[in-house]
Amino acid sequence: ISKKPDKAIPKVSTRQMEDIRLCYLNASQILRHFWMCFPITDTSTEEKISRMVDSLNKFRVTVLRDMNMKLSIPEQVLIKSINEQIDLAIDAHKQWLTKKTRR
């Protein structure tokens, strides 16, 4: 049986892999708190989710940008899903804001 090679997973150093792992852990913590706010039922939850969105944006601008600078273009695929998860969360917040303003 001939195996077709999947897209090659880039080889990174042990240090880079640890940095990527920590990046995933930190993003997961913020995202977990974000998703726990749904459904938004009161003003304190609204405020908390707004803080989470701010945190996600800051995380993207600081941590992910720095990580992208440390990785080669092929290696950046290793953190692509973090950006996608943040996009999903921010889009959910935007949708909620749109629904809220329609009421």
Side-chain angles (χ1 to χ4, degrees):
I1 298 174
S2 129
K3 271 190 159 181
K4 290 184 181 178
D6 293 329
K7 287 185 179 179
I9 297 173
K11 302 262 189 225
V12 294
S13 70
T14 304
R15 178 67 192 157
Q16 285 176 312
M17 189 54 70
E18 180 61 17
D19 289 346
I20 291 168
R21 187 184 75 77
L22 288 173
C23 195
Y24 269 94
L25 286 173
N26 291 329
S28 295
Q29 283 286 35
I30 300 168
L31 287 162
R32 182 176 62 85
H33 286 285
F34 174 88
W35 290 113
M36 287 176 63
C37 290
F38 284 91
I40 302 169
T41 56
D42 55 47
T43 56
S44 68
T45 307
E46 279 184 50
E47 292 167 1
K48 182 177 180 180
I49 202 160
S50 290
R51 288 191 308 271
M52 294 293 104
V53 168
D54 289 343
S55 294
L56 288 167
N57 282 317
K58 287 176 190 172
F59 184 84
R60 175 180 276 157
V61 169
T62 56
V63 177
L64 289 180
R65 185 194 66 204
D66 290 347
M67 184 62 66
N68 271 322
M69 294 170 129
K70 292 177 185 177
L71 300 173
S72 69
I73 291 174
E75 293 168 345
Q76 290 174 9
V77 72
L78 297 171
I79 60 169
K80 181 181 175 187
S81 69
I82 299 173
N83 271 309
E84 291 169 347
Q85 292 171 37
I86 291 172
D87 286 340
L88 184 65
I90 291 171
D91 287 347
H93 181 250
K94 287 178 185 174
Q95 287 176 9
W96 177 82
L97 285 174
T98 301
K99 287 179 185 178
K100 179 185 172 195
T101 57
R102 288 183 188 162
R103 293 181 194 164

